[in-house]
Amino acid sequence: MSQELHETGASENAKEEIIDRKRKYFRSSIVWEDERITDENIANFKKYIQFSHRSPYTLKTNLNTLPTYYEFINNNISTQSYWDEPSSIKVHEKSVSRICATNGGNHIISASDDKHIAIVAVYGSDRLKHKWLAHKRTINKVVVTGDDAMIISAGEDKVIKFWQVEIGETDVKKEPTLKSSIEVEAEVKDICLSPDGKDLLGCLSGIPGEAIIWDLASLDKKQTFKKTGLSDEIRHALTIKACCWTADGSQVITGGEDCFLILWDVSTGEPVYRFVGHTRPICALVVHDDTLVSVGFEATLRVWDISKRTLRHQIKFHVNRIYDVCFVGQTSDHILTASFDQTSRLINVETGLQKEVFSRGTAVTGVCALKDRRMVAIAYSDGLICNHMMYAQRLRAKRENYHQRSITHVECSPNDKWVVTSSEDGKLLLWDRTPNVLKTLKAGGSKINRARFTHDSKHILAVSQDKFLRVWSIPEGRVVASREFNLTPNDVAINFEQNCIAVGLTIGKISLLNVTPSFDSLTV
């Protein structure tokens, strides 16, 4: 029995209630043969945490505070990591407020409470490319235009600044210079570029809240979204803290301290719909296609269907406010969060399930996706930025679409578009460079020893344990020619200039076959 139960002197019924209350925190993570809360089980849990992650987390929790500890176990145990070891760099002296990625994917732009903006390379030894004093007070948000030629920042000093910059593949070719600025009447809480990159949306503090669209070319106001009177109940009554555009750019969404999400029509400036559900102020919004994710002070993520005006999921993993959120993965069905509870969590927005947790003992203040959303950057309150590369094929990996047994060979196509893998499960998988499986070619279930592309990348030659050579047409996805041998073929090669296929057989024999360009016949 735990130390806490001994110290409370509670009755047996009270003790059972405490045990049941604490047991719920590991309700679905692990099935233990012995579920009693004992010092031995606590030690086992700690060992499991330390050895089940690629990067062991630092636990600052008092083990006698069992609910917190069991909650940590429930939310963090994972059978395999989706990410590689992090690469980190100390960028700011104070907390990082927000980060964003360049569209080239090789640099991170960070803004901080120390009033500085920094450009950080994703790779290399000299990663801090440039850092400059940008505002007089804390910077709340920073974004970069689609051509990576301009950085836009906004903060508590009531100014939106436009910095001209030239960011190359590996370096900053031109130091940032202030091109222009917009002075507003209140603190700028959030800014967001339109999908076409021509307009800037910003939201301001104040009562009532206000959001404004500026034309990037002229910096003139194009539209204002604001409460017009006491009878106007659908609009924000308090400060607007977050904003974003819909995918087509025809509407914008705002979230405020009044706990409402409001969908606005850009052309008319009128509210279209009000999403109700949050119970505390909203901190960040992100949209992909028809999916909206909102987070805030209540530590709950809400996933909305914009067109249907419905709530898909209400997800609760964090125990403190969530500052930021972004979509990750090539299919954008996962999100990454940043929370004051010192964790960043990878969550599937379709199922509502948690996949991974990052933690290094300090509050997480910002997240962003890089490199076609296969890499992420995570910012912390101590000024540190870490980036992680997602392992290919881990997200949305449906096992039935992949090999079930060991891969025997990997071959790249001459046109550099595809990759073919052969396996002991008797299948050939044709992949694109994403990587996604384009076609599955089955050869009777026997182990495939080797697979080769033809010079024109239109056919695949495969030799298998059932003593067959098969020629597959990639466009048709079927066998167009085959030949059986008396011995098992282990390798195959083709020379189209001499119309010849060489097949390596067991016991040191090689069989040479004549072949036509259309593979009409395979003769010795």
Side-chain angles (χ1 to χ4, degrees), residues 1 11 69 84 167 245 333 344 412 447 496 508:
M1 195 67 68
S11 64
Y69 187 63
D84 67 355
I167 302 175
W245 298 76
D333 57 352
S344 179
C412 295
K447 172 186 174 182
F496 256 118

Side-chain angles (χ1 to χ4, degrees), residues 5 42 55 95 144 148 167 174 183 344 347 355-356 419-420 479:
L5 296 184
I42 292 174
S55 300
S95 174
V144 62
D148 293 336
I167 302 175
K174 181 180 179 181
E183 294 187 5
S344 179
I347 298 170
K355 296 294 185 179
E356 191 80 59
V419 174
V420 66
V479 176

Side-chain angles (χ1 to χ4, degrees), residues 47-63:
K47 289 179 182 178
Y48 192 91
I49 286 290
Q50 290 174 341
F51 290 101
S52 65
H53 287 81
R54 297 172 60 85
S55 300
Y57 298 109
T58 302
L59 301 181
K60 294 187 176 181
T61 305
N62 182 356
L63 295 189

Side-chain angles (χ1 to χ4, degrees), residues 147-173:
D147 57 1
D148 293 336
M150 184 180 293
I151 297 171
I152 307 172
S153 59
E156 294 181 357
D157 57 3
K158 306 178 184 179
V159 180
I160 301 174
K161 294 187 177 183
F162 301 82
W163 305 90
Q164 198 164 16
V165 66
E166 188 175 346
I167 302 175
E169 285 292 322
T170 59
D171 210 344
V172 179
K173 299 179 180 179

Side-chain angles (χ1 to χ4, degrees), residues 26-28 36 59 79 118 154 168 173 191 236 280 302 323 326 336 340 351 372 420 446 466 493:
F26 58 96
R27 57 190 176 274
S28 61
R36 292 175 299 170
L59 301 181
T79 57
K173 299 179 180 179
I191 53 175
H236 291 291
R280 297 194 66 191
R302 284 178 167 80
Y323 287 122
C326 70
L336 190 68
F340 191 72
T351 64
D372 297 325
V420 66
S446 296
D466 60 2

Side-chain angles (χ1 to χ4, degrees), residues 170-275:
T170 59
D171 210 344
V172 179
K173 299 179 180 179
K174 181 180 179 181
E175 292 189 0
T177 56
L178 183 62
K179 181 181 179 182
S180 55
S181 61
I182 300 174
E183 294 187 5
V184 293
E185 298 177 354
E187 175 187 348
V188 184
K189 290 292 188 180
D190 196 8
I191 53 175
C192 182
L193 285 167
S194 61
D196 60 8
K198 296 180 179 180
D199 298 316
L200 178 70
L201 172 66
C203 56
L204 312 181
S205 62
I207 299 176
E210 181 180 12
I212 301 172
I213 295 178
W214 289 274
D215 183 281
L216 273 186
S218 63
L219 300 186
D220 294 332
K221 285 186 182 181
K222 292 182 64 174
Q223 191 59 267
T224 301
F225 311 98
K226 189 176 181 180
K227 189 179 181 73
T228 56
L230 294 177
S231 60
D232 189 359
E233 296 182 355
I234 194 172
R235 307 184 193 224
H236 291 291
L238 301 175
T239 292
I240 299 175
K241 294 180 67 68
C243 59
C244 65
W245 298 76
T246 56
D248 60 4
S250 65
Q251 297 172 319
V252 298
I253 304 169
T254 56
E257 291 184 352
D258 55 9
C259 310
F260 295 131
L261 293 166
I262 297 180
L263 181 69
W264 307 80
D265 185 275
V266 170
S267 59
T268 64
E270 294 297 319
V272 177
Y273 188 77
R274 183 171 70 174
F275 296 89

Side-chain angles (χ1 to χ4, degrees), residues 93-159:
E93 297 304 318
K94 293 186 178 181
S95 174
V96 180
S97 52
R98 281 292 191 273
I99 55 175
C100 70
T102 59
N103 290 277
N106 292 319
H107 293 84
I108 302 164
I109 313 298
S110 65
S112 171
D113 290 352
D114 63 10
K115 312 166 193 174
H116 285 74
I117 295 175
I119 303 175
V120 182
V122 174
Y123 304 108
S125 56
D126 184 21
R127 293 181 57 195
L128 183 57
K129 297 302 180 181
H130 199 73
K131 181 179 176 181
W132 71 100
L133 181 64
H135 286 257
K136 295 180 180 179
R137 298 183 65 182
T138 294
I139 305 170
N140 290 332
K141 189 66 179 286
V142 62
V143 296
V144 62
T145 55
D147 57 1
D148 293 336
M150 184 180 293
I151 297 171
I152 307 172
S153 59
E156 294 181 357
D157 57 3
K158 306 178 184 179
V159 180

